Amino acid sequence: MKKISILGSTGSIGRQSLEVLENLSNTHQVVALTAFSNIDLLEEQVRKFRPNLAVLWDENDALELEKRVCNICKVDFGINGMKYAAALSEVDLVLNSVVGNAGLLPTIAALEVGKPIAIANKEVLVTAGEIIMPLARSKNVEILPVDSEHSAIFQCLSGHVQLPDKIYLTASGGPFRGKTKPEMVDIAVEQALSHPNWSMGQKISIDSATMMNKGLEVIEARWLFNLAPKQIHVLVHPQSIVHSMVEFVDGQVLAQLGAPDMRLAIQHAITYPNRLPNPFKRLNFVEHNTLTFNQPDTENFPCLALAYRALEAGGHYPTVLNAANEAAVDAFLNRKIGFLDIPAIIDRALSAYNDENKQLSIESILMAESWAKTFAARHFKGA
Ligand code: NDP
Ligand code: MG
């Protein structure tokens, strides 16, 4: 039995991971589940999957859950609870599907005790990829991508000793593809949340609408595959069938294709290096007989260009980009700022930040994050 700990089990990726694991129950076992505050769903998951440990953020929530499930598992809380779930001795694989940089410390805790990680939580690689990848190498553990584009690149590179010359990350373009800035001034939260191809958590749905999602993925790819920024290209591919491509020095291009279903990428990471059957819908080429590719529109969707700018600047700039984005998306979801204020606030944060200490540590990353969140909050009123 391969024993899995899922951080963020009540989210979109967490729930889909449990669907995958339900099909794999002969070979895979869930041993820990964590959530932020969704007690009822976590209780339901505990009753169904019977892990050894369940974790919630708040102590009182954890006490409430404990009352309900104390005959099934232990209950813990807070950042220490999450770190414990990530580093449990019996765990064979940690699936990190937390949203935002909250997944950083548990990721480090898992790596320090040599646990491989299936990573959906892209914000963690954006801010700390420079620390996480060498740490994983030094512990001889794998970081397995769950994000569909990175899973595609990982699969295309499998069996190749040479790095690719370039990679193409595909982007659906989100719900506002083809719109201009003046047409997006009054975008409502509900419009921004309705993605044409994928059903996802709120934060990544807004990131997809602004195209920051692709910007974060460019930075994620830089660390996962050890590439220079200029080797990472983005193509708008509205059908979301080609999940990404690699091009080698000899001009040969390999692509990975599949139905737009995150459970396929999740299963790949969970079962790697094996492949196991599943009942999910197969790709039908006749239904999807038109595949198109275009340059992204960075004029009307500046977030992608902002991400390249932060990546080129290096140091703590990707953390500032990510944290200002997390704060701005939260403010947009709470109707404090407009849709176009999101890139404007990130742009201002990147310009205002002065990265005196380019040497990265977990502490310096958390400080840069706190600076950017405070900066963004101060600018909401004037946005
Ligand atoms: P969701 O918002 O749906 O789920 C997030 C999960 O993390 C929930 O279990 C939530 O608990 C928990 N959580 C939220 N905040 C905290 C916190 N501060 N501390 C601890 N736990 C927390 O997100 P998604 O599943 O959509 O996305 C997860 C990650 O995967 C993101 O980084 C996203 O970019 C990435 N990703 C998502 C894809 C998708 O299709 N959804 C595709 C590719 C990547 P609770 O439910 O209690 O709030
Ligand atoms: Mg993706």
Side-chain angles (χ1 to χ4, degrees):
M1 279 290 194
K2 190 166 178 179
K3 297 193 164 74
I4 320 276
S5 171
I6 305 183
L7 312 180
S9 64
T10 50
S12 160
I13 293 289
R15 283 180 272 121
Q16 293 180 80
S17 302
L18 288 172
E19 280 177 44
V20 167
L21 286 162
E22 215 177 333
N23 290 315
L24 303 177
S25 59
N26 289 334
T27 48
H28 292 69
Q29 186 188 346
V30 176
V31 294
L33 295 171
T34 84
F36 184 65
S37 60
N38 193 340
I39 308 183
D40 292 342
L41 181 54
L42 190 58
E43 178 189 358
E44 208 178 287
Q45 293 178 343
V46 165
R47 292 192 184 283
K48 188 162 182 184
F49 291 91
R50 311 190 78 80
N52 303 337
L53 175 69
V55 177
L56 282 161
W57 186 255
D58 181 77
E59 185 174 6
N60 290 328
D61 288 348
L63 287 171
E64 171 59 32
L65 182 68
E66 192 169 36
K67 274 192 222 149
R68 302 187 198 176
V69 299
C70 60
N71 58 335
I72 303 176
C73 70
K74 283 202 331 191
V75 178
D76 208 333
F77 67 93
I79 191 64
N80 286 336
M82 285 182 68
K83 284 158 84 173
Y84 183 36
L88 275 182
S89 58
E90 63 263 39
V91 166
D92 297 311
L93 178 73
V94 177
L95 197 153
N96 180 352
S97 54
V98 170
V99 63
N101 209 26
L104 175 60
L105 297 178
T107 303
I108 301 283
L111 289 175
E112 273 172 351
V113 293
K115 306 290 181 191
I117 301 200
I119 193 139
N121 184 193
K122 63 189 75 181
E123 295 88 350
V124 158
L125 282 170
V126 167
T127 62
E130 199 171 341
I131 293 174
I132 286 171
M133 296 311 289
L135 179 59
R137 273 194 295 277
S138 76
K139 299 284 179 180
N140 206 15
V141 291
E142 294 223 60
I143 305 270
L144 299 160
V146 169
D147 214 342
S148 56
E149 296 77 2
H150 306 77
S151 174
I153 304 284
F154 186 86
Q155 293 180 61
C156 291
L157 291 179
S158 176
H160 291 89
V161 283
Q162 264 175 274
L163 284 177
D165 188 37
K166 57 172 87 143
I167 65 171
Y168 294 98
L169 299 179
T170 53
S172 69
F176 309 131
R177 180 173 52 87
K179 285 201 188 299
T180 60
K181 274 187 186 165
E183 291 170 317
M184 291 188 280
V185 171
D186 294 323
I187 291 292
V189 170
E190 294 69 25
Q191 290 171 288
L193 284 175
S194 65
H195 195 279
N197 301 350
W198 304 93
S199 162
M200 309 180 284
Q202 290 201 334
K203 197 258 174 182
I204 185 175
S205 297
I206 303 302
D207 285 347
S208 299
T210 61
M211 288 204 69
M212 179 55 91
N213 183 47
K214 214 46 56 181
L216 299 178
E217 289 181 358
V218 166
I219 305 177
E220 188 184 5
R222 186 264 173 269
W223 296 115
L224 278 172
F225 306 113
N226 195 20
L227 298 168
K230 64 174 181 347
Q231 293 178 288
I232 307 168
H233 300 259
V234 172
L235 287 172
V236 175
H237 168 51
Q239 299 81 17
S240 298
I241 296 298
V242 174
H243 295 313
S244 277
M245 301 180 266
V246 304
E247 183 178 317
F248 293 97
V249 281
D250 58 0
Q252 308 270 17
V253 178
L254 298 187
Q256 185 264 332
L257 285 71
D261 181 342
M262 279 309 295
R263 292 173 301 182
L264 302 181
I266 293 169
Q267 176 167 323
H268 178 267
I270 289 177
T271 63
Y272 181 83
N274 298 316
R275 288 186 188 265
L276 294 175
N278 62 44
F280 308 136
K281 197 170 175 237
R282 302 288 130 148
L283 181 58
N284 179 332
F285 284 96
V286 180
E287 265 174 30
H288 297 281
N289 58 9
T290 309
L291 302 179
T292 59
F293 302 91
N294 286 295
Q295 284 294 343
D297 172 3
T298 48
E299 182 63 35
N300 289 298
F301 296 87
C303 282
L304 182 57
L306 290 171
Y308 272 104
R309 177 173 143 201
L311 178 57
E312 295 279 2
H316 297 87
Y317 286 99
T319 299
V320 169
L321 172 99
N322 182 65
N325 181 56
E326 280 189 22
V329 168
D330 189 57
F332 173 68
L333 285 169
N334 287 302
R335 298 172 191 353
K336 289 185 192 156
I337 60 170
F339 185 71
L340 296 179
D341 295 326
I342 299 173
I345 285 170
I346 300 164
D347 190 353
R348 277 188 238 160
L350 286 176
S351 300
Y353 187 67
N354 179 14
D355 202 3
E356 283 163 355
N357 168 22
K358 289 223 166 184
Q359 192 66 35
L360 249 61
S361 66
I362 296 302
E363 295 70 35
S364 69
I365 287 172
L366 295 177
M367 275 170 65
E369 178 176 68
S370 162
W371 177 91
K373 289 199 168 168
T374 311
F375 178 91
R378 251 193 280 123
H379 283 71
F380 291 155
K381 283 202 192 90

